[in-house]
Amino acid sequence: MAVMKTQKIAIREYVVGESTAQHWDFSDSVEVLLSFRSSIRVMAADGFQVFTLREGEGAFIPPRTISSVAAADKNAVVRSLSFPLSALLGDEDSIIYRKYSEPILSLSGPVSLSQMEAGKADRAFEIISERAYCSELEARNLLTEILIAVLLENENAGIRAGAYRNQRMLRMMTFIKEHYTEPITLGDIAASGHVSERECLRVFRSSLGTSPVQFLISYRLRESLRLLENTEMQIAQIAYRTGFESPSHFSRSFRSCYGFSPSQWRRRFL
């Protein structure tokens, strides 16, 4: 289904399978995931932390953490709600935002939700889908209750930064996020982290199991999905907008990752 947005909350329902290429996500938004059909594996880059969500279970993905989702045993349907912390905590200069954003930003990876909180997330998803009067307010209230549960659960956890949260890795990840539309190289990525190309390769391999360039391509593909689902841009325009050297390179990379061409994806999932 297409991405829908309401008051900065975006929802998406999509299929993942065992054969789906591993795709690491890195976003400034919070994401709440629900295993809607079958089971999914949620992975984090801090030592490849993995836990399984059975049908009806959920997970909370903090901002600026690296995570990935895959089917546990067969094709699975995932429901996703994503939003900036400001959608629930208000303006970034407010006292509430400053007080409660730091504990969330300190989380190093996905947090599993209780059955009750997962149910609230599913209800928020349905409310936004229905687009009824006051749906924005109802959904925001439910997501705020989930955020409170996560805060209380991790009140005494402190900062649990994983290996990838060190400054070098964070600088390189941020550089990719900010410059993925440009023709950047391995040397550019390494320079952003103030490390050699060899060390850059080692850090990405040990943390994510992939190379910096492969992660860059993966990030570009993730952004291409957003454009395919939210705009009517032509495939060639999307290819260049997301930093691919040509539409053919984009199409080959997209098919290799998702098993469909960009145009097939747009027809199949919209």
Side-chain angles (χ1 to χ4, degrees), residues 21-223:
Q22 190 175 48
H23 189 99
W24 293 101
D25 192 20
F26 179 69
S27 171
D28 289 327
S29 294
V30 172
E31 185 172 18
V32 176
L33 291 175
L34 293 163
S35 183
F36 184 63
R37 194 174 302 149
S38 192
S39 298
I40 59 174
R41 290 181 295 117
V42 181
M43 292 154 281
D46 52 344
F48 295 99
Q49 168 195 338
V50 178
F51 57 86
T52 300
L53 300 179
R54 294 170 296 183
E55 185 173 349
E57 295 181 335
F60 179 93
I61 315 294
R64 300 182 70 77
T65 57
I66 306 169
S67 61
S68 182
V69 177
D73 50 16
K74 58 182 178 180
N75 285 353
V77 177
V78 178
R79 283 185 164 182
S80 166
L81 302 96
S82 61
F83 49 91
L85 278 173
S86 59
L88 304 184
L89 300 180
D91 189 89
E92 294 185 8
D93 293 326
S94 69
I95 295 174
I96 290 178
Y97 186 93
R98 291 198 300 269
K99 181 176 181 178
Y100 295 112
S101 62
E102 182 57 33
I104 295 298
L105 294 171
S106 296
L107 296 173
S108 64
V111 176
S112 59
L113 298 175
S114 68
Q115 186 174 5
M116 179 183 295
E117 306 312 323
K120 292 177 182 178
D122 194 43
R123 178 58 185 149
F125 188 100
E126 294 289 351
I127 287 172
I128 294 174
S129 299
E130 292 164 2
R131 303 186 183 187
Y133 183 63
C134 288
S135 61
E136 301 91 345
L137 299 177
E138 289 186 67
R140 189 175 67 175
N141 284 343
L142 289 166
L143 292 172
T144 299
E145 290 178 11
I146 294 171
L147 184 65
I148 291 171
V150 172
L151 284 165
L152 292 175
E153 177 69 23
N154 294 276
E155 182 178 7
N156 299 314
I159 297 178
R160 300 174 291 144
Y164 70 88
R165 291 295 293 261
N166 63 51
Q167 290 302 308
R168 294 184 307 173
M169 193 65 178
L170 185 58
R171 281 196 295 264
M172 290 188 286
M173 298 293 296
T174 302
F175 177 82
I176 289 173
K177 181 178 182 297
E178 293 177 349
H179 297 276
Y180 73 92
T181 61
E182 305 166 17
I184 61 179
T185 65
L186 171 61
D188 296 327
I189 298 170
S192 72
H194 307 298
V195 298
S196 67
E197 292 186 12
R198 182 175 180 179
E199 178 64 6
C200 178
L201 286 166
R202 188 197 68 77
V203 169
F204 270 81
R205 284 292 182 191
S206 63
S207 297
L208 305 183
T210 189
S211 73
V213 173
Q214 287 170 329
F215 179 84
L216 169 63
I217 293 173
S218 180
Y219 191 88
R220 285 169 169 167
L221 290 172
R222 183 78 171 198
E223 289 301 303

